[in-house]
Amino acid sequence: MAQYFTRKKLGDLMLESGDLTVDQYNYVVDKLKSTGQRFGEICLNDGLITEEVLARTLAAQFALDYIDLQGFRIDETLLNSFPPDTMYRFHFVPLEQEGDSLVVAISDPTDVVKLDELEILLDRPLIIKLAADSQISQVLKRGEGTSRVLKEVSEDFMLQLVTETERGEEILSVEKISADTSPIIKLVNSTILDALNRRASDIHIETALNGVIIKYRIDGVLYKATDPIDLHFQGPIISRLKVMSELDISERRIPQDGRFKVKINDKSIDFRVSIMPSAFGEDAVIRILDKESIAQDLKGLTLDTLGMDIREIRRFRKMIREPYGMVLVTGPTGSGKTTTLYAALSEIHTGEEKIITIEDPVEYQLKGIVQIPVNEKKGLTFARGLRSILRHDPDKIMVGEIRDPETAQIAVQSALTGHLVFTTVHANNVFDVLGRFIHMGIDPYNFVSCLNCVMAQRLVRKLCVKCKYPITLTDEVLVESGIDPETCRVATFYDARGCEECNHTGYRGRSAIVELLDLNDELRELIVNKSSAILLKKAAREAGTSFLRESAVEKVIAGETTLREINRVTFVE
């Protein structure tokens, strides 16, 4: 394998390429005498060159090819031909099979002994290419997301299932996922680990004619996680989830809801489970509530971090700083309503006022705020909890969701009697909210008197900054999407190819689009008089409301998302 030729010194090559100046070269040479480090090490540690420059120069020195691994994805078939820990131990990436030889990327061609050992272990000749050390680490780390590596890695995990007694004490029953553990337990835990690695918010387990399909919801969209699993395993998978959630294993005919908590590497994560009978058995949806990650995000969670338009943020900030009244946020499940309310609470929380929340469940944890979880099995409903909260002398209250007339009535009364109430309700837009409350039997005059503002919200996926590229949209396409081509002649539109950073979806992360209805006297009068939606919209626009579709189009023109994405979440007006 060894090749014999006269090699130039690394420093001379860097001088020739202009990566080092003469002064820098002399500085490194002087340092070599005292430190005992290698030339490239000193250059890297002192920030004189990047890892890519070092890899490229080493490739030139050893007459090898350099490869950029940015966005490289390991071929799973190739991956399956190695023992799982080999790539980590020898720090290499298999690129492709070339005849009997294997093409690999390494970062240190000077360690000949290690390369010989690897060649003997793999029992095939190696064709060496050079890559940056950090890029090899990134590829290996991303490779862990594959189902095979996860199953191997999960054998070394300690997964602690946390249960609670009647007295609220916690009992930890430790289950080691080892070689003799049930394959179903291994499968469920591998799925949970993989979902967490991929930033999923939900895991969907669906039973179809061709088997069990596992999907992840990432940034609001479902993606298949695996190929269909044999239908034979459907019962054991659902039973395992029922055991974890303390549900009735024998009951398969009615829906069941439960929750469980898992500790992975001393990190506590909550999961909500909903199991429902379907045509081929039972389906399950697991909602992931990673409170510790959320808590880290919340340290910097403000309205600015949600991606709203700055004009809407200013208007919303004015409403949340009112001394009393009601702030309503509306939208479908998973539209970020709770996150918005917590961003608002974290901005106004000074420690001088008492803030109490009642939620189902407590999704975020904030210091200095009293948080009450709903427990309907024990009789603690939103309405009953809200009554108790009022006896605790709060200044500001957050009600996780208004679901029934009783909760709505108490929330409105609280807002009328000097409290600032933050709450959410399921509705499509700001005007549907008004109808919902009136339908629940709330007096329109009381309702509009206490209402400061209503904000409807959606989340749109943001284009991946690594792989987005400019595109041209025809006037016809713009007109079909309700956009006047003349208003965006100077705008640059983008799409994305999909890369490793964004799981080959083209999108990474989400941003809020909102329509904010600021209640003034004219709007209150129109609502009490039950005026038509056309008159309400006209008055709202005159009062400064920008509607959801307009907010979404602004994101497209700003190059943050695509026309396809906003057409997915909003109507063309």
Side-chain angles (χ1 to χ4, degrees):
M1 188 176 114
Q3 298 177 25
Y4 298 96
F5 51 84
T6 305
R7 285 199 298 263
K8 281 191 174 182
K9 290 181 180 177
L10 202 64
D12 294 341
L13 287 168
M14 288 181 183
L15 275 174
E16 285 176 19
S17 62
D19 290 315
L20 281 185
T21 65
V22 175
D23 288 343
Q24 288 172 331
Y25 175 84
N26 292 333
Y27 162 78
V28 177
V29 169
D30 288 341
K31 203 167 180 181
L32 272 172
K33 298 167 188 172
S34 57
T35 61
Q37 290 178 301
R38 294 191 289 183
F39 192 94
E41 260 183 295
I42 297 170
C43 292
L44 266 184
N45 294 341
D46 288 20
L48 303 178
I49 59 167
T50 62
E51 285 192 347
E52 285 75 14
V53 168
L54 177 60
R56 202 178 280 113
T57 312
L58 279 169
Q61 186 186 26
F62 283 81
L64 298 169
D65 290 336
Y66 167 78
I67 183 167
D68 185 354
L69 292 179
Q70 191 69 41
F72 178 80
R73 192 182 185 95
I74 297 178
D75 178 1
E76 282 202 41
T77 310
L78 196 57
L79 181 69
N80 289 338
S81 63
F82 304 118
D85 64 333
T86 309
M87 292 185 299
Y88 298 94
R89 194 150 50 94
F90 290 92
H91 199 65
F92 78 96
V93 171
L95 301 174
E96 59 180 331
Q97 191 75 33
E98 203 172 279
D100 294 333
S101 303
L102 178 68
V103 185
V104 298
I106 61 164
S107 60
D108 184 6
T110 63
D111 196 343
V112 180
V113 175
K114 200 171 183 180
L115 286 171
D116 283 341
E117 191 184 336
L118 177 62
E119 201 167 48
I120 292 163
L121 180 71
L122 298 178
D123 193 24
R124 63 189 100 173
L126 297 181
I127 298 171
I128 306 296
K129 292 193 177 185
L130 263 287
D133 187 76
S134 61
Q135 286 190 356
I136 290 175
S137 298
Q138 280 175 4
V139 171
L140 293 179
K141 187 179 176 185
R142 286 197 298 263
E144 289 174 15
T146 66
S147 56
R148 176 191 179 259
V149 174
L150 259 173
K151 284 173 187 173
E152 299 289 349
V153 169
S154 67
E155 290 185 7
D156 301 323
F157 266 85
M158 292 278 282
L159 187 139
Q160 299 170 305
L161 190 61
V162 182
T163 56
E164 292 185 9
T165 66
E166 289 296 316
R167 298 194 301 275
E169 296 169 350
E170 291 189 344
I171 300 169
L172 301 183
S173 55
V174 179
E175 295 176 354
K176 291 185 181 179
I177 311 162
S178 55
D180 58 350
T181 302
S182 155
I184 295 301
I185 293 177
K186 192 180 275 190
L187 172 66
V188 171
N189 288 321
S190 296
T191 301
I192 289 169
L193 291 171
D194 194 22
L196 291 168
N197 282 345
R198 294 203 202 178
R199 305 180 299 110
S201 60
D202 303 82
I203 302 168
H204 290 240
I205 298 169
E206 299 174 358
T207 311
L209 192 59
N210 62 335
V212 181
I213 299 163
I214 298 175
K215 298 176 183 176
Y216 300 146
R217 189 177 291 280
I218 304 168
D219 291 335
V221 177
L222 285 174
Y223 298 97
K224 269 191 183 181
T226 59
D227 292 329
I229 299 164
D230 195 294
L231 206 54
H232 173 71
F233 294 107
Q234 183 268 340
I237 290 169
I238 298 297
S239 294
R240 170 63 186 158
L241 289 173
K242 286 179 179 176
V243 168
M244 293 171 82
S245 312
E246 297 181 329
L247 300 175
D248 184 355
I249 296 176
S250 62
E251 182 55 76
R252 295 187 178 92
R253 296 160 299 176
I254 58 170
Q256 294 188 72
D257 292 326
R259 59 189 66 186
F260 64 90
K261 187 184 288 186
V262 158
K263 276 195 172 182
I264 301 172
N265 287 352
D266 296 326
K267 182 180 180 182
S268 184
I269 300 169
D270 286 350
F271 297 83
R272 274 193 291 173
V273 180
S274 181
I275 292 171
M276 185 172 62
S278 68
F280 299 100
E282 288 177 290
D283 288 5
V285 176
I286 307 164
R287 165 64 62 90
I288 301 170
L289 301 170
D290 191 348
K291 290 182 186 175
E292 291 186 22
S293 292
I294 290 164
Q296 288 172 1
D297 294 342
L298 279 173
K299 288 173 186 173
L301 181 65
T302 62
L303 293 172
D304 297 308
T305 61
L306 302 178
M308 292 184 203
D309 184 76
I310 190 68
R311 186 177 65 89
E312 303 296 355
I313 290 175
R314 288 197 192 104
R315 293 176 66 217
F316 192 53
R317 276 199 176 118
K318 178 172 166 285
M319 295 297 105
I320 64 174
R321 286 183 166 84
E322 298 285 346
Y324 56 85
M326 183 183 281
V327 174
L328 254 178
V329 181
T330 184
T333 304
S335 61
K337 301 186 295 293
T338 310
T339 307
T340 298
L341 288 186
Y342 265 89
L345 284 180
S346 64
E347 285 205 3
I348 62 172
H349 179 42
T350 60
E352 295 174 357
E353 295 176 310
K354 182 148 187 170
I355 301 175
I356 305 180
T357 76
I358 179 161
E359 304 162 71
D360 182 23
V362 174
E363 291 188 19
Y364 305 135
Q365 292 167 338
L366 277 183
K367 285 183 181 175
I369 291 178
V370 179
Q371 294 171 279
I372 302 164
V374 164
N375 188 341
E376 294 197 0
K377 285 181 184 174
K378 303 292 181 185
L380 178 54
T381 60
F382 275 114
R384 191 169 177 182
L386 194 47
R387 278 201 200 89
S388 298
I389 285 172
L390 293 172
R391 292 194 284 272
H392 279 249
D393 187 30
D395 297 290
K396 294 174 173 62
I397 302 165
M398 183 182 120
V399 182
E401 186 186 339
I402 288 180
R403 297 174 180 168
D404 55 82
E406 192 180 2
T407 310
Q409 191 70 54
I410 303 165
V412 167
Q413 288 301 323
S414 306
L416 286 169
T417 53
H419 301 93
L420 183 61
V421 178
F422 294 87
T423 189
T424 74
V425 68
H426 286 289
N428 284 325
N429 56 51
V430 290
F431 303 109
D432 287 352
V433 172
L434 310 172
R436 281 293 301 278
F437 272 80
I438 290 163
H439 181 70
M440 280 194 265
I442 306 300
D443 178 59
Y445 182 79
N446 282 346
F447 178 53
V448 297
S449 298
C450 78
L451 199 57
N452 293 353
C453 68
V454 185
M455 186 162 80
Q457 179 171 317
R458 298 287 188 281
L459 294 175
V460 292
R461 292 180 293 168
K462 295 190 292 186
L463 279 164
C464 173
V465 293
K466 294 274 185 186
C467 62
K468 77 174 189 179
Y469 62 95
I471 58 166
T472 304
L473 294 177
T474 63
D475 288 358
E476 188 182 355
V477 169
L478 291 170
V479 169
E480 278 178 8
S481 296
I483 301 171
D484 181 4
E486 295 303 321
T487 61
C488 48
R489 287 292 178 211
V490 294
T492 305
F493 298 101
Y494 291 89
D495 205 338
R497 293 182 179 87
C499 65
E500 198 65 39
E501 289 293 317
C502 58
N503 263 332
H504 297 275
T505 62
Y507 300 94
R508 186 172 175 86
R510 289 187 289 176
S511 181
I513 55 168
V514 300
E515 65 181 31
L516 180 60
L517 184 66
D518 181 354
L519 271 287
N520 58 24
D521 290 340
E522 183 189 353
L523 275 164
R524 286 190 173 97
E525 192 176 336
L526 286 169
I527 293 164
V528 170
N529 293 333
K530 297 182 180 175
S531 300
S532 68
I534 295 169
L535 286 174
L536 282 172
K537 281 189 175 182
K538 186 183 175 188
R541 192 180 290 282
E542 287 169 1
T545 297
S546 175
F547 297 114
L548 272 175
R549 182 67 181 184
E550 293 164 4
S551 180
V553 169
E554 283 173 13
K555 295 270 183 199
V556 176
I557 292 172
E560 292 178 32
T561 190
T562 61
L563 203 55
R564 183 176 65 253
E565 175 65 7
I566 69 160
N567 287 341
R568 184 179 70 85
V569 295
T570 60
F571 285 113
V572 177
E573 292 181 353

